[in-house]
Amino acid sequence: MIKKQKFDEIYYEYKDMVYRYVFVRTGDSETAYEIGQEVFAKYYENMMEIQDDMVAPWLILCAKHKIVDCWRKQRRFKETSYEAYVLERELISDNGLEKIVESAAQREFILKLLSELKEKNEGWYEVVEAVCIFEMPQEEAAQYLGISVPVLRARLSRARKFLRKKHG
């Protein structure tokens, strides 16, 4: 019952967003409704693997893929002009909302990485913050942190190694 309750909450929170996203790209309310239903059915199947803070980006990405699938199916049944193909590609690639969602997802992922790094080793976190986030030169960052440049480089290397091992 908890899974259904969680699904209902997510559905009512995001159904309008998904519908608008699909409708703007397809221009057809029936298609938008059908794709929206497919997106939420797919979400229901995978909802236990999706983190709560990644639901909106996941739904938008799934909707994008369903739209592309829909266009591919339509293309099988009828010939489309080159101009229509170009328009479809532009809709898929030059989508402002999609860029915003992807950017938000990237920010969320970076914040997750930084919090994991801070939990693992505060010194590594401080070095990564100074060099990678505040974009300080290594010499300036070392002076700011009160450590030598070789120590800074070692910590930076260990932090990167930890993140690569944990997240590929």
Side-chain angles (χ1 to χ4, degrees):
M1 191 63 168
I2 291 175
K3 183 176 179 181
K4 181 168 177 7
Q5 288 173 336
K6 181 179 177 184
F7 175 79
D8 288 345
E9 289 174 14
I10 296 298
Y11 177 77
Y12 289 111
E13 184 174 350
Y14 294 109
K15 69 178 179 161
D16 292 336
M17 177 191 74
V18 171
Y19 176 82
R20 278 192 307 268
Y21 178 85
V22 177
F23 180 75
V24 166
R25 275 135 202 89
T26 63
D28 181 31
S29 61
E30 287 182 28
T31 303
Y33 178 77
E34 288 175 20
I35 289 176
Q37 294 303 309
E38 291 176 22
V39 166
F40 281 102
K42 187 83 168 169
Y43 172 75
Y44 188 79
E45 293 172 12
N46 298 290
M47 67 189 287
M48 294 315 210
E49 288 96 45
I50 302 167
Q51 297 174 355
D52 291 342
D53 58 339
M54 298 303 289
V55 171
W58 189 94
L59 290 170
I60 293 297
L61 193 59
C62 184
K64 173 189 166 189
H65 293 293
K66 295 288 184 188
I67 292 167
V68 172
D69 290 345
C70 179
W71 283 334
R72 285 183 184 142
K73 288 176 188 172
Q74 287 176 355
R75 212 176 296 142
R76 281 188 214 138
F77 297 111
K78 66 177 186 175
E79 286 293 319
T80 58
S81 67
Y82 178 73
E83 292 82 18
Y85 173 76
V86 170
L87 179 62
E88 289 174 5
R89 297 305 315 156
E90 286 174 2
L91 284 173
I92 293 168
S93 64
D94 294 338
N95 174 349
L97 177 61
E98 180 180 315
K99 289 178 184 176
I100 291 168
V101 170
E102 286 176 10
S103 176
Q106 285 176 346
R107 274 189 238 115
E108 288 291 326
F109 183 66
I110 289 169
L111 290 173
K112 180 182 175 187
L113 290 179
L114 290 173
S115 68
E116 288 175 1
L117 190 60
K118 192 172 187 176
E119 286 177 25
K120 176 71 175 170
N121 188 310
E122 187 88 27
W124 295 354
Y125 171 79
E126 290 172 350
V127 169
V128 168
E129 183 181 46
V131 174
C132 300
I133 296 174
F134 297 128
E135 298 178 349
M136 291 179 163
Q138 290 185 0
E139 294 77 18
E140 185 181 326
Q143 185 179 11
Y144 171 77
L145 295 171
I147 57 177
S148 67
V149 174
V151 169
L152 179 128
R153 289 182 179 147
R155 288 181 183 174
L156 187 59
S157 174
R158 290 182 186 125
R160 287 177 174 159
K161 188 183 230 180
F162 166 77
L163 291 173
R164 270 189 228 109
K165 184 178 180 182
K166 186 154 180 141
H167 296 283

